[in-house]
Amino acid sequence: MSAREVADWWTKHSPKLFSSNIRLFVKDSEVNEGIINTLKKEPEKFWYYNNGITALCSSIGKKPLGGSARDTGIFECKDVKVVNGAQTVGSIARAYKNYPEQVEKARVLIRFISLENCPEEFATEITRFNNTQNRIDRREFVALDPEQERIKNELHLEEIIYTYKSGESIPDGEKGFDLNEATISRACKQNEVSFATRVKDKIGVLWEDIEKPPYKTLFNRSVNGSNLWKLVQILRVVENKLSEVQKQRDGREKLFATRSNRLILHLVYKALPENFFSISSDLTPVQIDDIQSMTSEFLGSIMSESSNLFPTSYPANIFRNVTKCQEIVEKILN
């Protein structure tokens, strides 16, 4: 269909057009801004970039022009309700208001489904499954980054398996790791404490846009496969030590061992000499012991400084707060 026609729908029939949708048009949204931007700059490509619209109708009838065949003709769709694509319709309408000449050039795919002679629950099921099946999570777009494949190939030469696509089998932990561990490691290795805080609270934010920071800060040409594997090995030693604490202790120490794990890893990375990460060999038993000792020491320091600085704050809230985490790290490093 012409995008112009869809804009007219919005003008004439909104919000009734979306009465069966799970949500109305969300005005301030990155996705919707992207739709509008495409209509403004590349309207001819809109058909290829957009998933389209799904609409339900109480019936679809063909007008008698051209005979009874239903492959082509003029069709009348009654009681149209958009059940998937409200953001597309609303964005087209907004774009048409500001850039009418550009929107005139765009076309959009639309699927009309007749509910005539269908069971009562069919409409609800269509709405539910259209909005839940094959949903794309933020991390899926990481697969489009060529740097991930480069890192994978570098590690393959060292017989280390690295998986970054959803659906790939999780490798043997002894000789492999996945995107999740890679992201945690790279985030905690950054000088800015904010990365360790974000990876603890909302790791998905770090995968949000593979074309700009924070993702580009974590994964770029400078990231070396061997170096990344070393970071992951250290991460695992820290996690194993903190798991021991969680099993053997209770109360406050157990709580801090759970909540402050990313900040502890950040401090361990800072404490190790930089040349430690450039050696591609696996960790030695002596190095593992040293990292375990550092982990215990930093856990104690974090507990002590948290009590001094924020005596009334709950640990879970402390380690979601960038400013508080920065204060704790500064105290410990000083």
Side-chain angles (χ1 to χ4, degrees):
M1 286 186 64
S2 161
R4 161 68 192 273
E5 279 189 82
V6 175
D8 287 342
W9 288 5
W10 173 274
T11 304
K12 295 175 182 177
H13 304 294
S14 179
K16 188 179 177 183
L17 185 65
F18 309 108
S19 60
S20 297
N21 207 315
I22 60 172
R23 62 176 176 170
L24 299 180
F25 177 62
V26 180
K27 187 175 181 181
D28 297 316
S29 154
E30 272 191 42
V31 172
N32 292 344
E33 287 302 320
I35 293 172
I36 292 167
N37 199 45
T38 299
L39 288 163
K40 177 185 175 183
K41 296 181 178 178
E42 302 177 289
E44 299 88 352
K45 295 180 181 177
F46 189 73
W47 163 272
Y48 302 103
Y49 292 171
N50 188 270
N51 285 334
I53 301 162
T54 298
L56 302 183
C57 319
S58 62
S59 66
I60 300 177
K62 183 178 183 296
K63 295 199 171 181
L65 297 170
S68 59
R70 295 176 63 87
D71 52 347
T72 62
I74 297 173
F75 295 86
E76 183 178 38
C77 303
K78 292 185 176 180
D79 304 320
V80 174
K81 299 286 189 296
V82 171
V83 295
N84 187 256
Q87 309 314 307
T88 295
V89 176
S91 297
I92 287 172
R94 279 188 67 192
Y96 184 71
K97 187 176 179 181
N98 296 314
Y99 321 106
E101 291 183 4
Q102 292 298 89
V103 175
E104 291 276 6
K105 301 173 187 176
R107 296 181 68 79
V108 62
L109 176 68
I110 181 159
R111 177 173 61 156
F112 293 98
I113 300 173
S114 172
L115 298 175
E116 195 170 14
N117 302 320
C118 292
E120 286 184 18
E121 69 277 5
F122 190 54
T124 303
E125 294 295 276
I126 290 173
T127 303
R128 181 162 70 91
F129 289 123
N130 266 262
N131 286 283
T132 56
Q133 289 197 349
N134 298 322
R135 189 179 72 181
I136 302 297
D137 291 327
R138 288 169 178 164
R139 70 161 287 169
E140 314 291 348
F141 293 103
V142 172
L144 300 176
D145 180 12
E147 296 300 333
Q148 293 289 342
E149 187 64 19
R150 175 188 60 78
I151 293 167
K152 181 173 184 170
N153 291 335
E154 283 182 9
L155 287 162
H156 182 70
L157 295 174
E158 299 182 32
E159 299 184 341
I160 305 296
I161 299 170
Y162 173 52
T163 61
Y164 62 89
K165 293 180 181 179
S166 293
E168 288 184 304
S169 57
I170 300 298
D172 173 11
E174 292 297 315
K175 282 293 179 181
F177 61 104
D178 63 7
L179 175 67
N180 211 58
E181 284 187 304
T183 304
I184 293 167
S185 300
R186 286 288 301 154
C188 293
K189 183 67 171 65
Q190 302 305 307
N191 285 325
E192 293 179 43
V193 180
S194 60
F195 282 92
T197 308
R198 275 190 278 186
V199 81
K200 175 67 178 175
D201 192 31
K202 292 179 180 177
I203 191 171
V205 172
L206 302 176
W207 300 318
E208 201 156 37
D209 189 337
I210 66 168
E211 299 298 333
K212 62 183 183 182
Y215 177 83
K216 274 297 184 187
T217 306
L218 303 183
F219 296 102
N220 51 62
R221 288 184 182 181
S222 70
V223 177
N224 174 274
S226 297
N227 177 281
L228 186 55
W229 173 229
K230 182 61 68 71
L231 293 177
V232 171
Q233 291 179 71
I234 297 165
L235 159 69
R236 291 176 178 175
V237 174
V238 171
E239 287 290 295
N240 289 338
K241 182 62 180 176
L242 292 174
S243 293
E244 285 179 20
V245 174
Q246 291 166 30
K247 290 174 185 175
Q248 296 169 4
R249 309 293 170 84
D250 53 19
R252 192 164 173 274
E253 191 169 0
K254 180 178 181 178
L255 190 60
F256 270 84
T258 304
R259 299 295 183 181
S260 67
N261 59 341
R262 303 302 177 228
L263 198 61
I264 289 171
L265 181 62
H266 175 73
L267 287 164
V268 168
Y269 285 151
K270 276 188 172 295
L272 291 166
E274 200 56 38
N275 61 4
F276 187 94
F277 305 102
S278 60
I279 301 168
S280 62
S281 60
D282 290 346
L283 294 174
T284 66
V286 172
Q287 289 172 331
I288 290 171
D289 287 342
D290 287 344
I291 293 166
Q292 288 179 333
S293 297
M294 286 181 188
T295 301
S296 298
E297 186 177 334
F298 284 130
L299 174 59
S301 299
I302 286 173
M303 289 173 62
S304 175
E305 295 300 344
S306 296
S307 297
N308 293 335
L309 292 167
F310 318 110
T312 60
S313 294
Y314 186 69
N317 296 330
I318 292 173
F319 301 110
R320 288 196 190 105
N321 187 300
V322 176
T323 304
K324 288 181 178 179
C325 287
Q326 284 172 334
E327 287 186 52
I328 291 169
V329 169
E330 284 172 16
K331 284 282 186 180
I332 291 171
L333 293 181
N334 286 340

